Amino acid sequence: SSFNKYHGNYESIARVMQRMTDNEGTGESEYMPFPLGPELTASFQDDFEHVVMSTFLQDRIISNGDRKFNQLGQYMQPGAPDMLTLKMLKGTRTGLKEMHSILLSASLATALFGDEDAINKVVRIDDRYDLKVTGVYENLPKNSDFSELTFIAAWDLYIDANKGWLNRFLDSWRDGMIQIFVQVRANADMALIENKIRGTIQDHVRQEEKVFDFQTFLHPMKRWHLYDKFENGYSIGGQIQFVWLFGIIGVFVLVLACINFMNLSTARSEKRAKEVGIRKSIGSARNQLINQFFSESILITMLAFILSISIVLIALPWFNEVADKQMDIPWNSKLFWISCIAFILVTG
């Protein structure tokens, strides 16, 4: 549930995708044509805070003298750092307006420059271009779809560096090659905006291609991680199915434990019958006895909860290391505490 929430605009960010119907059926793609970005910016400026064209993640050699590293990064338009709310440790988010600029993650900046300040220093990309470091951003967490992003270079540099073979695609509405991310304006209805832009590609393809149906749609960031599976052009779930599966297994195990506890309590009822008799003889009411047993049950459940959380705290660092994960307990989440209290009371 915390995936991608590192990005402050989590609720309003979406990936632009297209649904294509031809003689073979319907499919979907996140590879978008170049002209779509400028068209969305120009024709729907009242609906979008940011429209950001981007390459997919690329492996590039970033160097500073003898220090050379193969790193994953993307060429993105200048609005990307604001849209993703990158936490800048040094420099500025606006550097990508200059073609020969680059933003580095904190780990890459340290690898290239050690303890020196990386701002305004020069790095070389693919041994072809010298770029000035205009910003250093905090490493993105593993529970972000951009976690592997160690550098962001200017979009204009990508266009300039590949203008030879790219020229024939820059005006093509049929060939999808890039990603497009959008951030809708505050309080905007993403479904209504999606309906507005649905026919944008279809309206611009050549007449002979209009026999096929191209529908533009938005895939919200909050659905990227758990609802990433598509069939016939429509989202049908994804990893959310595993969440439900493990959740059901967990509830089933808990129900078994409850049944076992009740069976053991029933087996011990004869031993407690004397206690109940003595309490009744000295004036205890029926409700008082019921409340006593409920209190004992809830107390045992609470102690079991504390024990289980303690075991998780001890085991979690080891599990994260073995599984290469970065999970933690969301102590600051109200939903977490409400769920814990609900489980204690229901189980008790």
Side-chain angles (χ1 to χ4, degrees):
S1 64
S2 64
F3 216 90
N4 282 327
K5 286 187 177 178
Y6 176 88
H7 307 289
N9 300 316
Y10 164 82
E11 292 284 348
S12 55
I13 294 175
R15 176 185 281 114
V16 183
M17 299 182 66
Q18 59 176 318
R19 189 179 295 119
M20 304 162 292
T21 302
D22 56 22
N23 296 331
E24 297 180 359
T26 301
E28 83 293 328
S29 175
E30 58 190 60
Y31 290 81
M32 308 308 295
F34 279 93
L36 181 60
E39 177 65 22
L40 292 178
T41 301
S43 299
F44 303 96
Q45 54 186 323
D46 292 336
D47 298 308
F48 297 121
E49 188 75 31
H50 292 291
V51 176
V52 174
M53 294 193 289
S54 167
T55 62
F56 289 85
L57 207 61
Q58 299 185 353
D59 193 348
R60 291 287 179 262
I61 298 175
I62 309 292
S63 60
N64 171 33
D66 294 333
R67 298 183 181 183
K68 296 185 178 182
F69 302 95
N70 276 72
Q71 295 291 308
L72 294 171
Q74 291 171 235
Y75 295 87
M76 305 179 87
Q77 286 189 305
D82 272 335
M83 181 185 72
L84 298 177
T85 56
L86 297 183
K87 293 180 174 60
M88 304 306 296
L89 303 178
K90 293 178 182 177
T92 174
R93 289 178 179 173
T94 61
L96 295 180
K97 293 178 181 178
E98 297 294 328
M99 184 169 75
H100 290 91
S101 69
I102 191 170
L103 306 183
L104 304 179
S105 68
S107 58
L108 180 55
T110 301
L112 288 169
F113 298 102
D115 295 331
E116 295 180 35
D117 187 352
I119 299 301
N120 293 325
K121 298 284 177 59
V122 174
V123 298
R124 196 164 179 81
I125 185 168
D126 283 344
D127 212 21
R128 290 181 62 191
Y129 295 96
D130 289 325
L131 307 179
K132 184 172 72 173
V133 179
T134 55
V136 176
Y137 58 88
E138 181 180 83
N139 290 341
L140 293 167
K142 286 192 175 182
N143 62 343
S144 164
D145 275 290
F146 296 94
S147 61
E148 295 181 307
L149 194 66
T150 59
F151 73 86
I152 306 176
W155 176 256
D156 290 342
L157 177 65
Y158 172 70
I159 300 297
D160 184 72
N162 300 282
K163 56 188 174 186
W165 66 271
L166 267 185
N167 282 341
R168 62 194 179 98
F169 297 107
L170 294 179
D171 296 321
S172 171
W173 282 89
R174 182 66 181 86
D175 300 300
M177 297 183 61
I178 60 170
Q179 296 183 95
I180 298 179
F181 302 103
V182 295
Q183 178 190 339
V184 301
R185 293 199 180 275
N187 302 317
D189 188 326
M190 201 173 287
L192 290 177
I193 294 174
E194 180 179 74
N195 194 51
K196 281 186 183 181
I197 68 171
R198 192 178 302 279
T200 307
I201 296 177
Q202 184 72 13
D203 292 341
H204 288 86
V205 294
R206 296 193 300 269
Q207 191 61 40
E208 61 270 22
E209 294 173 334
K210 291 186 184 292
V211 293
F212 307 115
D213 184 30
F214 299 93
Q215 294 184 8
T216 310
F217 68 97
L218 301 178
H219 190 210
M221 178 180 262
K222 60 185 178 183
R223 294 178 65 87
W224 290 0
H225 184 59
L226 295 179
Y227 298 87
D228 58 343
K229 187 178 180 181
F230 288 81
E231 190 174 291
N232 296 324
Y234 292 89
S235 174
I236 60 168
Q239 296 189 71
I240 187 64
Q241 295 166 338
F242 294 103
V243 175
W244 280 109
L245 176 63
F246 291 130
I248 291 170
I249 291 172
V251 170
F252 181 70
V253 171
L254 182 61
V255 169
L256 283 179
C258 291
I259 292 171
N260 286 336
F261 178 82
M262 287 187 285
N263 286 337
L264 289 171
S265 297
T266 303
R268 293 179 64 246
S269 61
E270 287 186 9
K271 293 184 178 180
R272 301 209 66 179
K274 290 181 181 179
E275 177 191 341
V276 172
I278 292 170
R279 286 183 177 276
K280 279 190 173 183
S281 67
I282 61 175
S284 293
R286 184 170 182 270
N287 286 340
Q288 289 177 316
L289 294 170
I290 291 173
N291 290 336
Q292 177 197 339
F293 283 114
F294 270 128
S295 299
E296 289 175 1
S297 181
I298 290 173
L299 179 61
I300 291 171
T301 306
M302 190 177 297
L303 292 173
F305 171 78
I306 293 170
L307 178 61
S308 64
I309 286 289
S310 301
I311 293 172
V312 170
L313 278 172
I314 294 169
L316 196 56
W318 173 82
F319 178 82
N320 282 338
E321 185 177 347
V322 171
D324 192 26
K325 301 293 182 183
Q326 198 175 16
M327 292 190 292
D328 54 20
I329 300 175
W331 300 113
N332 296 324
S333 169
K334 290 181 180 178
L335 180 61
F336 169 74
W337 287 110
I338 292 171
S339 301
C340 290
I341 293 170
F343 269 104
I344 289 172
L345 294 176
V346 171
T347 304

